[in-house]
Amino acid sequence: QVQLVQSGGGSVQTGGSLVLSCDTSGFFCWRARMAWFRQVLPKDPEGVASIITIDKKTTYAEFVKGRFSISKDDDSPILSLRMTALEPEDTAMYYCAAACGMEPRLDASAYKYWGQGTQVTVSS
């Protein structure tokens, strides 16, 4: 059973930075699509950033462009999301996700495997 294990997150003030990590060592696909989502209940999860690990092609939601960065090194199973200039509107539960795929995607239906979630809280 594939497990994605998340770490990081927490509380920060407006303008601060955080890094989220996701251990993807239980998942393998030659052309892997990985992503970060966030959710504030009762809304559906919204895509934040996605990456194709083999060619590092990325896509970002408009609301995080220039502030967040998704990355995964070839020699590490860790998927990262570096978040800067955080705003209270970024407060949410954040999830990593993975699947096999050709292009980065920000829709939840494109992902089969999910992390357990980690809370990010930004205070004003």
Side-chain angles (χ1 to χ4, degrees), residues 3-110:
Q3 286 188 317
L4 306 181
V5 181
Q6 295 180 223
S7 60
S11 298
V12 67
Q13 291 188 325
T14 298
S17 301
L18 285 172
V19 178
L20 304 183
S21 298
C22 176
D23 186 342
T24 70
S25 56
F27 172 78
F28 175 78
C29 190
W30 176 75
R31 191 171 178 88
R33 171 193 295 140
M34 298 185 180
W36 289 94
F37 287 78
R38 68 187 189 185
Q39 184 177 31
V40 178
L41 293 175
K43 297 179 181 179
D44 291 333
E46 60 179 356
V48 173
S50 176
I51 187 170
I52 298 297
T53 58
I54 197 169
D55 59 14
K56 305 297 186 282
K57 186 175 181 180
T58 59
T59 191
Y60 291 89
E62 282 296 324
F63 54 79
V64 300
K65 280 185 178 179
R67 300 190 298 126
F68 291 11
S69 177
I70 188 172
S71 64
K72 184 177 177 310
D73 294 337
D74 292 337
D75 58 354
S76 170
I78 304 301
L79 175 72
S80 297
L81 183 69
R82 290 171 171 77
M83 305 183 292
T84 65
L86 284 161
E87 305 164 350
E89 293 74 20
D90 296 315
T91 295
M93 185 71 78
Y94 283 72
Y95 296 90
C96 61
C100 299
M102 299 299 291
E103 297 293 329
R105 289 175 59 175
L106 296 179
D107 53 309
S109 63

